[in-house]
Amino acid sequence: MSERERRWVWSGGIVAFCLLYLWLVLLPLIGYHQKLQRRIAHSWDGLQQLESSLGKYTSTVLPVRDLIRRATAAGRKASGRRQLETIVRQVWKGRDLVPSLSFETLWEGEGVTLKRCKLKGKASPDELFSLIKIIDHRYLPMRVARWDLKHTSEGSWDLDMEIYLLEASRKP
Amino acid sequence: MGNYTSGEGIAVAVLTGGGVKKPLHTSWHPSLSQPDGTHLYPAEELQKLIQSLQPDTTILFDVDYPVAPLSSITLPRLRPQQVYQALKIELESRTVTEVMDPVAGFCPGYVKTKEIKKSGLVGFGLAIEASDLRGLRQKHRSLGMIPDLVTLPIIPLTFTFIREVKEDNALLYLIDGPVVMMAVIGEKRIKNIEVFYGGEEGLIERLSGILPGNPELKVYGFEAGGGHEPTTAPSVASAALFTPLEGGQEPRLLAQLRRHISRITLAILLARLPSLIGSIEYGGIHAADIRSEEQKAHWGLQYAAGLLILSLLGIGTAAGVMGHLDRRIYQDQRRAMKRVIKSVLPNAPPVAATTLIEAKLRQAGRLRGHLSPMLTHSTLELPASVLPILDKIGRVRVLEVSALPDSLKVIFESSRPLDAGEVELELGKVVGGNIELMQRKERSAHLHSRGLIYTLNVVKPARSNGVARVE
């Protein structure tokens, strides 16, 4: 084989190698890389969406679940109404004028009932603050929604208060 | 390949590599006598021989006798550089007479003038009549060639002597028929070359003119041929070739004691010419230079091809590594997603996790809507911040407080007038939100009050409905 022919064979061989390499190795690798890039971008979007959903889930569902769990736990001992009456009696212990309590049901859900209690009576600011602290305690499914304390001409205080409480239906 | 031509035939020597090895091929092709006294050469055999050569073989023709045209010989496909090399040597190895009547049929005629100017044999001091040179140039101008110098068969012989024997003050002569070629060597260079006709008598006459003034001159004499060439074994060993003649300073004796040198040996020496004239110290271009330029181009191509392949391999490796890293990133992402889902929803299948979370979110959202009154902030937050500040103002008595999780209304009595702006600023530092302090114009419902009655409204901006519980 002459040198010229040998050179042609070499050149052809190199070109063929390059083409084969492009076709069999480089293009598939680049394609694979692009495919994975798309997947990563998609997966990243999914992660962000999931993170956002989980954030919402954590801020929305967990407090509700916590509330229901507290209502269920508290309901095992006594009903919310009974517990509130006990609290009021405890705060106004030794006093003649115990505030009046009236309950009404606002919403009944699956296994839970939301009630509103209106409390009216005479109370000092200290008694009011004690009452709120006890009711708003994190272990109880109750919440003070509004209160109004007025000083009367007799030197006493009139208290008008609204309390929400969640009662879990007691399982037989 | 070296061809030494004579009236009796053509001696051919083919060497490999730099020509220092044993000849690859030697042959003798006797000429055919024609009725008119001229000789024809066996063109077919030579053609076969030339065709069998490698394309990069340099062909050197030494033509000392008028020969019949070798028109039937066509060179194998040589590169222009090789053809140029062959032509250059072919032209430059003729005698003056021969060059004046060249075998024009051999010349392809496309050699560039620029390349001819590269001739490395300029400056050896061969005397050429100015008119002859003008005629020579005129004859070859149409071919684009300017032969500035004529080289002779004595030249390879002389160069071999300089290289092998390394002796100063020597005189070499070579007789081939009526032609006498003579070279004087000094200081390891060719000092002079002479070509003349006249055979032995002419040589004696010339030696008589040179020897008396140079007593230290050693004489080496040769006669080409010596019978039928095939019977003459080629000898290129320096010891055998270059033995000084023991004739003292006697010209006649020195001319008669000449040794025979076969034309095949001369053909071998001729074939070695490229490597011999290659030495820079003789003012020549190295035979390898032309080849090295081609090799440079060849290496350049090889380098480019290697670079291309390496870059392709590099790109491939980079793409492979990137693909591997991508895969790891993707797998890490999937694992992270699973881990996050498991931490919140341990039993949820990862694929449906998002859907499940969305469904649970909708369900919890509805429930939260009903239970929102239970998830507000404490109604004690604002009074706990505002009332101590009011107390600090001094001589203030609170008459009424109404509190919601995000708003507070306080009616109070002050024994002295208050600067609304100052109080609002003081409260704003601690509480924030919208603060409004107004003095009541109408008479207070609290009849027992004798001071100035003020109403303070504090409204905080709506906050997220988180769980802030009083401990």
Side-chain angles (χ1 to χ4, degrees), chain A residues 33 54 136 143 148-149 151, chain B residues 326 340 376 399 401-402 469:
Chain A
H33 171 63
L54 284 174
D136 281 355
R143 193 70 167 175
D148 188 15
L149 192 68
H151 194 255
Chain B
D326 285 347
V340 170
T376 54
L399 301 174
V401 183
S402 298
R469 307 300 302 264

Side-chain angles (χ1 to χ4, degrees), chain B residues 184-327:
Chain B
V184 178
I185 298 159
E187 299 169 357
K188 295 180 182 177
R189 297 180 70 87
I190 301 172
K191 280 188 169 176
N192 189 23
I193 286 181
E194 290 183 53
V195 182
F196 48 89
Y197 288 89
E200 189 178 313
E201 288 306 317
L203 174 65
I204 293 166
E205 187 184 338
R206 191 68 192 97
L207 285 174
S208 302
I210 295 172
L211 289 174
N214 296 293
E216 69 283 6
L217 208 63
K218 288 184 180 176
V219 181
Y220 298 80
F222 301 94
E223 183 176 3
H228 296 291
E229 288 297 329
T231 60
T232 311
S235 173
V236 289
S238 57
L241 266 179
F242 301 107
T243 309
L245 301 175
E246 301 294 336
Q249 294 288 308
E250 180 54 48
R252 184 167 295 277
L253 198 57
L254 288 170
Q256 286 172 349
L257 287 174
R258 64 183 181 267
R259 294 188 176 85
H260 290 288
I261 183 167
S262 74
R263 290 186 175 99
I264 288 179
T265 303
L266 286 169
I268 291 170
L269 295 179
L270 190 64
R272 282 182 179 174
L273 188 63
S275 64
L276 288 171
I277 64 172
S279 302
I280 300 299
E281 60 182 302
Y282 301 130
I285 31 170
H286 202 285
D289 282 358
I290 296 168
R291 204 170 294 155
S292 70
E293 280 181 21
E294 292 167 6
Q295 276 183 343
K296 270 182 197 169
H298 189 57
W299 287 340
L301 275 175
Q302 279 183 339
Y303 182 72
L307 214 60
L308 178 70
I309 289 171
L310 276 178
S311 60
L312 279 175
L313 287 174
I315 293 168
T317 310
V321 170
M322 283 171 76
H324 178 69
L325 289 177
D326 285 347
R327 185 159 184 79

